[in-house]
Amino acid sequence: MSTFVLIPGAGGAAWYWHRVVPRLNAAGHTAIAVDLPGASPTAGLREYEAFVAAAAAGEERVVLVAQSMGAFTALGCCERLPVERLVLLNAMIPAPGETPGQWWSNTDWPEVDDIDDIDALFLHDVPPEVAAAGAAHQRPEADVAFGQPCGFKRWPSIPTAVLVGREDRLFPPSFQARVARERLGLDVIAVPGGHLAALSQPEAVAEAILAPTAWTSWSAP
């Protein structure tokens, strides 16, 4: 059995994965959602990587699962941990040495500086009671991480799955498919839900993470 280490996106709240963790555990695996210091003005990608490495310390079979900006942390951990698989969910797929701040223009996608309607962009498909509970876990992402380069030199030769929410309004499926093809030469795997699919469709997300057919050995496009 594997240890699934789940990395949240901007803000760093482990709570994002709370509906997926019990489903992975029920399948006989160990699931660990990592809480990152996203709001700290002195903690960036290197510190995030250290948190993930500490969470997986001593584990022999690690699957890294990263949502959105969490992909920048995951790629920096692949050489530090015995990672057997990598799954990216609605992810900002990084290029070597790229910063999260550069990613937007490099992928030709407009950066979201001021979100006027969080409900419409992120919570449109999340059950109301889950969205209400999430208010206590919301936190800002400090600027420091956006200016730090992703900590890898080339994409690791690790079986990789790119999961895309069919209703993602922040990163629409067609955009995510283009980036996955251009950067990894991989096709995406569609799952139900929006950008926060692990909250709105936890069963489908867990099934996709566990599905053997999801994993594809990466090779340079």
Side-chain angles (χ1 to χ4, degrees):
M1 295 299 175
S2 301
T3 298
F4 288 81
V5 180
L6 301 113
I7 305 170
W15 179 87
Y16 169 72
W17 295 107
H18 82 281
R19 304 189 75 196
V20 172
V21 165
R23 288 167 167 83
L24 299 179
N25 288 337
H29 301 281
T30 299
I32 302 170
V34 183
D35 208 41
L36 300 177
S40 171
T42 60
L45 295 181
R46 304 292 84 80
E47 287 73 24
Y48 297 177
E49 292 163 9
F51 270 76
V52 173
E59 302 295 339
E60 297 181 354
R61 301 180 60 191
V62 174
V63 178
L64 290 182
V65 184
Q67 191 262 348
S68 197
M69 185 178 162
F72 276 81
T73 298
L75 267 296
C77 293
C78 286
E79 292 185 358
R80 302 175 61 168
L81 296 170
V83 180
E84 62 178 8
R85 294 176 182 176
L86 175 67
V87 61
L88 306 175
L89 173 62
N90 293 328
M92 297 169 64
I93 299 175
E98 185 176 57
T99 71
Q102 294 169 335
W103 180 88
W104 301 85
S105 60
N106 288 351
T107 57
D108 194 25
W109 194 249
E111 185 170 359
V112 179
D113 293 320
D114 184 21
I115 301 174
D116 294 325
D117 194 342
I118 293 177
D119 289 348
L121 197 59
F122 293 102
L123 302 176
H124 57 95
D125 65 324
V126 177
E129 66 277 11
V130 177
H137 301 274
Q138 291 178 6
R139 64 186 75 160
E141 176 70 38
D143 291 338
V144 59
F146 290 102
Q148 293 184 335
C150 194
F152 74 112
K153 296 181 179 179
R154 67 179 300 275
W155 200 274
S157 297
I158 296 172
T160 300
V162 181
L163 307 183
V164 171
R166 295 190 185 98
E167 293 82 42
D168 193 337
R169 296 179 179 177
L170 181 65
F171 302 145
S174 58
F175 164 69
Q176 293 197 55
R178 172 175 65 79
V179 176
R181 173 57 60 182
E182 291 175 353
R183 295 199 163 189
L184 302 180
L186 292 180
D187 293 327
V188 300
I189 299 166
V191 297
H195 194 66
L196 305 182
L199 291 177
S200 63
Q201 298 286 344
E203 183 173 355
V205 169
E207 287 179 356
I209 290 171
L210 293 169
T213 56
W215 306 103
T216 305
S217 294
W218 177 85
S219 59

